Each structure stands twice: as structure tokens, then as C-alpha cells.
Amino acid sequence: MAGSPEKYKDRKKIQIKINDEDLTVPEGITILESAHEVGVKIPTLCHLDLHDLQLYNKTASCRVCMVELVDGGNQNRNKLVPACVTKAYEGMTIRTDTLRAINARRMAVELLLSNHPNECFTCPKNLECELQALAEELNVREIRWEGERMDYPKDFSSDAIVKDSNKCIYCRRCETGCNEIQTCGILSGIGRGFNAFVGPFANIPMVESSCTYCGQCVQVCPTAALTEVYHVDKVWEALNDPDKHVIVQTAPAIRVALGELFGMEAGTIVTGKMVTALKRMGFDAVFDTDFGADLTIMEEASELIYRIKNNKTLPILTNCCPAWVKFIEHQFPELLHVPSTCKSPHIMFGTIAKTYYAEKNGIDPDNIVVVSIMPCIAKKAEAKRPELTKDEHNNVDIVITTRELGAMIKEAGIEFNSLPDSEFDRPLGETTGASVIFGTAGGVIEAAIRTAYEWMTGETLENVEFEQLRGMEGVRKATVRIGDQDLKIGIASGLGNARVILEEIRDGKADYHAIEIMACPGGCIGGGGQPYHHGNHEIVKKRREAIYEEDRRKKIRKSHENQEILELYREYLGEPFGELAHKLLHTHFEERERI
């Protein structure tokens, strides 16, 4: 059954009719889901149907999906109903194509537009806005109702997310994402009637809330009420400063999503084209955050083994995701002794760029600008955390998202699809398959196990693929045999699922050695800064498959076999988890107020 097969499994079947088509459907299905079965498209706006997560936005607030419910032969008794929440019943007859239904849908969009800023040309979501697309689809050519509009100041308070309440259409999809999927509880309806919008409690600035900046609200927002802080201009400014040495690093999830912005199928691997584009844009060096991921594994695997051998705090929680770090700081401060102290991969890379790389190339760190291209909005705020500095230098200076990179490539007039492939620069350019899989949920812990296995047993790990650690389930548990010891592993993607595991640890019900948590469903491939998937998790699955394909293509698939990483330790850092490595590559956390 189209829609959500598992949701209606084992339900009894009923007979309905849509636009004269007879249809057998499970009892309890909505008109909208039924229409999919016969290829009838009903426009939606507030509706959000995340099948994989078994979550549904049920507000029915926009009324864009209105259809006509036929009452026998008496047309005067027919009524309009919202298709997204109206359940089918035996003998129901629906028309989606009557003039009355079409006019109702068009009027709903016109009313939304009457209170919406007319600034499409300069809007961050121009051509990506679902309201804009609906206006075109429903052939809206004028706004018949002119009058007062909402006039709220934009909220630029955070380093990650911009909130523009004037563009809020009160669909409350962001509220579903924040409260039901991520369980952060930051966003809710404010006000009533004409001036209603969604925002933090008492409409306090975003920076004063407990927002983790995961960006899932941005991913599902149909308009530009919520967008990322835009840093493209800062990058162009740095690239045009002759006194600056500008280097760029790209996260593993970028290479399997960037192509979508240029019409390619989701999951297309564009690593080589991406490197070529960045070099043509004028970066002095183009590196891979995968190098930082391999470095992270050297430190994190060492920390895991240290804790196991010395009966220190277990489980250890991987610490690559800044949104989940902020989540635990706000929501579970009593567990701040549990996460690994490792910096995230792009911050580690930035640290090495401002120290080892600077010394090796005779460049003043003051003149180095590190740009990170991330699938994650939270990385923007992470780069500004005061503890992530070295001698007053930010480890990373500017963070842009996959979407922002796509915009820069287009702005530069680069024909991305026809670009030849190029290699990342060296040194700091060699990477492994272990670092690539950081881009998907379960990948970080699998990469760590590949190294920990060989370090703990002294044996060569022949099969590096741990299938028991893979999957799209929000919470996964697995056991990995290492020598004579069973390591119990937990994996959570999505902060709502992270809450489940963290509550188990807090309540003493957990028996894990190591846990990976990623804030975004599916991991970084589903990050808030990736090309908009509009709740379509089939796109996220294709990106995931591409990540594992990239891993299989790599000649080296274990982080501790990366020769440039080993050279970095020999020449500069000393031993993994040693004194200098700890000083440069580890950090601390702080309790934050929960609002």
C-alpha cells in the first residue's frame, strides 16, 4: 500500500472511490495516502510524512489539500475536507478535481501569500520554497487580499540558524521535527490568529534557548522561516585577500549529496569534481576532512582502549557531532563525564592546519584561513566555541554547508557536471575507507572498531565490514567479538533516539562499552545543511549506500594504516593519546541551562 505499509499492516480492507476509480484500501488510511495508490496528486504544505521514523505532522493547518467528499447524489450536501487527516471509511466517495476543491486549494495559498513577504528574488529559499512552488502549481497570478502583514525582526542571534517569523506559515513542521523527532522541545506555537508563528519559549532569541542547531527544523521548513547563517560572502572575501592562505576541507557526506544540486541522482559520488571546482574557485589548498576523521580514530580508539584496560568510565560516547554534544550539555549534564574528549574531525584538522601544516610550510597561522564545508549547520556554532581555539586562533574560521558550496559553484559560473576529476592536496590528503564512513550513522564506531580490534588483539582484521553496526534503524545494539572479549555497542541517530540511550545510561540500565550518537536521522548524510530532502528518506538511503561504496573503493580501509597520519605522529604529535595530542586534539564540555 502506498503511504506507509507497516502502519496499516494487518488492517481489514474497505472499498472507496476516488475520482470514479474503485479502490481497496486498509481501514484507517487517509484520503491523501489513498490518492497515491491511484496516481492522484493532492497538493500539500503542512503535511510531513516521515515513514521511516513513523512520524507524521497532523496539524492540517494550511488547508492546501482540500478535496470534496461526495454525499450521494445531493451535491449541496457535499463538503470539503483536508485529505491529509481525513480517514477513509467504507463506501467513501471523493473528488479531488472539482472546481470547488480547486478553488479552495488556490484560496488557501492566496491567503498564505497575502501575509507573506514578497521578496522571492532575494530569499534564501528562492526556487526551493514549497509555498512558491505551490503558487506556481495552482496557477496563482494575483493576491486578491491586501492589508497588514506580520512585521517581526529577524533573529540573527545564533551562529547557526536565522529565524524569520514573517515567513512562518504556521505549518508547524519544524515543531514536529524539533519536539517529536529530536525531542529538544525548543519550538512551539506563539500567539494566535493572524500574528501566530512558531518559535522558542516566549520568543526568546535562538541563542538563549536550548537549541542544538541540528538543523532538522531547517530541513523540513517549507519556506525560509528557518535557514542557516549564510557565510558565502566571508569565503569570497578571504579568497580575494592576497595576504591570506585559504585552505578548505570537505566532510565525507558532501561528496554523496553535492551532485543533487546540479541535477544528479541522490547518492552520486562527485569527490573528484568537487575537488576540481574548489581549486578553480581559488583555494590555496584543498583537503579532505576524512584526514581529520582518521586522526580522530587514532585518538578515540586509544581512549576506548585506555578506558577498558584501566577500568575508567564506560561506556565511551563518540564525540563527532556538535549538535548531540550541545544536546547532552543541556539535557543530560550529569553525564558529561561519559563522552570522549576528542575534538570533532574538522576541528582536529583545523588545529593541525594552524600548527603542523603552518610550521611545515612556513606560514604564519595568523594568515591561514580554514574553511570547512559541512553537511551540518551545528558546525557553524561549534567553530565559535571558545574552548576550540589555539593561541587565540580559531581551529576553524568559516563553516559553510553543502547548499552554500553549491551556491558558490554556480555563482562562479563553473559547469560542475562537465568537470574532470582531481585529487586532494598533499600532505594531509591521504584518507581511508574508515574515515569515509563517518558520513553515515554507525560509521564512526565501525571505524573505531577496525582500529581497536587490531590494537587490542595484535591480529590483522581481514573483514573490515561490521554489518551488525549498519542499518537505518534509529537505535541499534550489537556485539563485536574482539579477541576473548565481547564489546557491546550502541548506536543512535536522531536526538530522540539519543535520548533513549542516554536515559538508559543515566538510569543504570545500559551495559555498553561504546556508543555512537549522531543528531540527524541517518547521520551526517541527513544533516541540516545537506540539499533539502523535504522528508524523503529514500534520498538519505541512497546517500548512505554511496558512502559504503566509497569505502569499498579505498585501497586503505583502516585509519591506523594511513601513512600520512603515522608521519604526523612521528614528526609532530608523538604517541596517540599522548601529552601533545591531548593538548591539541581533545576538549571539554560544560553544563548549559535547559530552556
Side-chain angles (χ1 to χ4, degrees):
M1 183 68 229
S4 181
E6 290 302 315
K7 181 182 176 185
Y8 299 109
K9 188 178 180 182
D10 301 326
R11 297 278 184 93
K12 80 171 187 178
K13 300 298 189 289
I14 59 174
Q15 302 296 316
I16 67 171
K17 183 176 288 189
I18 299 181
N19 295 352
D20 296 328
E21 294 257 7
D22 292 318
L23 192 61
T24 302
V25 299
E27 187 177 44
I29 196 170
T30 66
I31 295 173
L32 181 64
E33 291 168 319
S34 302
H36 291 164
E37 184 71 3
V38 290
V40 173
K41 181 180 179 182
I42 300 173
T44 62
L45 191 55
C46 68
H47 183 67
L48 184 65
D49 201 343
L50 303 177
H51 298 160
D52 291 343
L53 304 176
Q54 292 297 299
L55 286 170
Y56 312 90
N57 196 37
K58 311 178 186 71
T59 60
S61 59
C62 71
R63 286 332 206 219
V64 167
C65 65
M66 301 300 282
V67 296
E68 193 163 1
L69 184 60
V70 179
D71 187 359
N74 190 342
Q75 191 172 12
N76 293 328
R77 293 174 61 183
N78 292 355
K79 62 180 179 180
L80 294 170
V81 295
C84 67
V85 293
T86 303
K87 302 290 181 67
Y89 56 80
E90 180 67 43
M92 174 185 269
T93 299
I94 305 115
R95 299 294 313 192
T96 71
D97 54 0
T98 65
L99 184 60
R100 188 181 178 199
I102 293 169
N103 284 337
R105 295 198 287 264
R106 183 183 290 122
M107 181 176 291
V109 173
E110 287 180 20
L111 286 169
L112 288 170
L113 291 173
S114 72
N115 187 30
H116 201 78
N118 290 326
E119 51 185 53
C120 292
F121 288 147
T122 56
C123 179
K125 290 195 75 171
N126 185 26
L127 302 183
E128 287 279 5
C129 174
E130 293 178 47
L131 178 61
Q132 183 185 52
L134 267 177
E136 191 276 333
E137 181 181 333
L138 298 177
N139 200 30
V140 176
R141 290 293 177 263
E142 62 177 329
I143 299 173
R144 291 177 287 172
W145 298 279
E146 297 288 346
E148 184 181 354
R149 296 172 185 250
M150 291 194 297
D151 186 18
Y152 295 106
K154 291 184 183 180
D155 181 357
F156 292 104
S157 63
S158 87
D159 293 311
I161 293 177
V162 177
K163 181 171 71 70
D164 185 353
S165 299
N166 300 311
K167 294 180 180 176
C168 177
I169 59 173
Y170 212 60
C171 68
R172 308 186 82 160
R173 281 162 53 165
C174 61
E175 192 175 347
T176 296
C178 183
N179 300 340
E180 295 190 46
I181 299 173
Q182 300 296 67
T183 70
C184 293
I186 308 304
L187 300 174
S188 62
I190 297 174
R192 301 184 67 180
F194 179 83
N195 292 312
F197 63 94
V198 176
F201 170 75
N203 199 29
I204 61 173
M206 291 290 287
V207 73
E208 295 179 14
S209 73
S210 302
C211 179
T212 67
Y213 308 129
C214 69
Q216 289 306 299
C217 59
V218 175
Q219 269 290 353
V220 298
C221 177
T223 65
L226 293 162
T227 55
E228 70 262 46
V229 174
Y230 198 66
H231 284 152
V232 165
D233 291 344
K234 288 185 177 181
V235 179
W236 284 127
E237 182 181 351
L239 287 171
N240 283 280
D241 187 338
D243 296 326
K244 297 299 182 183
H245 182 83
V246 187
I247 66 177
V248 64
Q249 57 171 319
T250 64
I254 308 299
R255 71 206 67 201
V256 298
L258 179 62
E260 296 167 33
L261 299 174
F262 299 91
M264 298 182 187
E265 184 179 353
T268 303
I269 301 171
V270 296
T271 314
K273 293 181 185 299
M274 175 182 67
V275 173
T276 302
L278 291 167
K279 290 183 175 183
R280 291 190 180 182
M281 288 160 62
F283 286 97
D284 295 298
V286 179
F287 294 120
D288 196 343
T289 307
D290 287 9
F291 184 91
D294 280 330
L295 187 58
T296 300
I297 290 303
M298 296 292 283
E299 293 299 312
E300 208 156 67
S302 298
E303 187 177 2
L304 170 62
I305 294 169
Y306 171 81
R307 291 198 193 186
I308 292 173
K309 288 184 175 180
N310 294 279
N311 295 317
K312 299 295 183 180
T313 300
L314 288 174
I316 185 173
L317 275 64
T318 62
N319 178 29
C320 295
C321 172
W324 107 252
V325 167
K326 200 160 183 291
F327 181 76
I328 196 173
E329 288 179 327
H330 285 293
Q331 307 271 350
F332 294 89
E334 67 275 20
L335 296 180
L336 287 178
H337 61 290
V338 178
S340 163
T341 59
C342 289
K343 294 178 178 178
S344 65
H346 87 117
I347 297 293
M348 279 198 184
F349 187 94
T351 304
I352 295 303
K354 297 289 183 79
T355 54
Y356 174 73
Y357 176 85
E359 291 179 19
K360 200 173 182 70
N361 291 278
I363 304 172
D364 185 344
D366 283 337
N367 294 327
I368 293 179
V369 176
V370 176
V371 178
S372 293
I373 302 174
M374 296 285 121
C376 174
I377 291 173
K379 297 286 187 185
K380 292 174 178 281
E382 179 192 27
K384 300 298 184 183
R385 288 178 70 119
E387 68 271 19
L388 298 179
T389 60
K390 173 67 174 68
D391 299 330
E392 304 305 318
H393 295 114
N394 287 334
N395 294 168
V396 170
D397 300 286
I398 308 170
V399 177
I400 62 172
T401 62
T402 314
R403 293 191 294 266
E404 287 173 282
L405 172 60
M408 289 187 72
I409 293 171
K410 293 173 183 177
E411 190 176 355
I414 296 172
E415 292 291 337
F416 186 81
N417 298 49
S418 60
L419 290 177
D421 290 347
S422 298
E423 297 290 332
F424 288 104
D425 289 317
R426 299 290 182 90
L428 312 186
E430 182 173 310
T431 60
T432 71
S435 58
V436 170
I437 60 176
F438 267 58
T440 186
V444 177
I445 201 67
E446 180 175 344
I449 293 299
R450 291 181 187 181
T451 290
Y453 182 95
E454 295 199 354
W455 283 357
M456 292 175 72
T457 65
E459 301 171 359
T460 300
L461 180 65
E462 299 295 342
N463 181 12
V464 300
E465 296 185 9
F466 291 86
E467 293 294 337
Q468 66 268 45
L469 301 178
R470 301 182 177 186
M472 288 293 288
E473 301 86 358
V475 177
R476 302 196 295 282
K477 300 178 182 180
T479 300
V480 176
R481 186 74 174 175
I482 297 183
D484 59 358
Q485 185 171 5
D486 286 331
L487 252 63
K488 296 180 180 179
I489 308 297
I491 298 167
S493 72
L495 290 175
N497 295 315
R499 182 180 294 280
V500 172
I501 285 187
L502 291 171
E503 286 177 348
E504 288 180 350
I505 297 173
R506 182 196 61 197
D507 298 339
K509 297 177 180 178
D511 184 22
Y512 301 109
H513 292 91
I515 295 171
E516 177 197 308
I517 293 178
M518 290 290 174
C520 297
C524 298
I525 48 175
Q530 292 280 68
Y532 295 112
H533 56 68
H534 303 294
N536 182 354
H537 279 257
E538 289 302 313
I539 292 174
V540 179
K541 286 181 180 179
K542 290 181 180 179
R543 296 171 186 169
R544 172 180 170 270
E545 292 164 4
I547 285 285
Y548 286 124
E549 175 61 28
E550 182 88 334
D551 169 37
R552 287 188 288 270
R553 292 181 184 181
K554 289 284 189 177
K555 293 180 180 178
I556 303 173
R557 300 180 69 185
K558 305 166 191 171
S559 296
H560 60 284
E561 294 180 353
N562 183 328
Q563 294 304 307
E564 290 186 5
I565 288 286
L566 298 178
E567 182 181 349
L568 171 62
Y569 278 100
R570 284 194 301 268
E571 290 188 358
Y572 190 71
L573 290 175
E575 292 293 318
F577 208 56
E579 183 178 352
L580 183 57
H582 206 277
K583 179 181 178 181
L584 293 180
L585 305 179
H586 291 252
T587 185
H588 64 274
F589 315 105
E590 62 182 62
E591 180 176 347
R592 298 177 187 271
E593 187 177 6
R594 181 176 178 179
I595 302 177

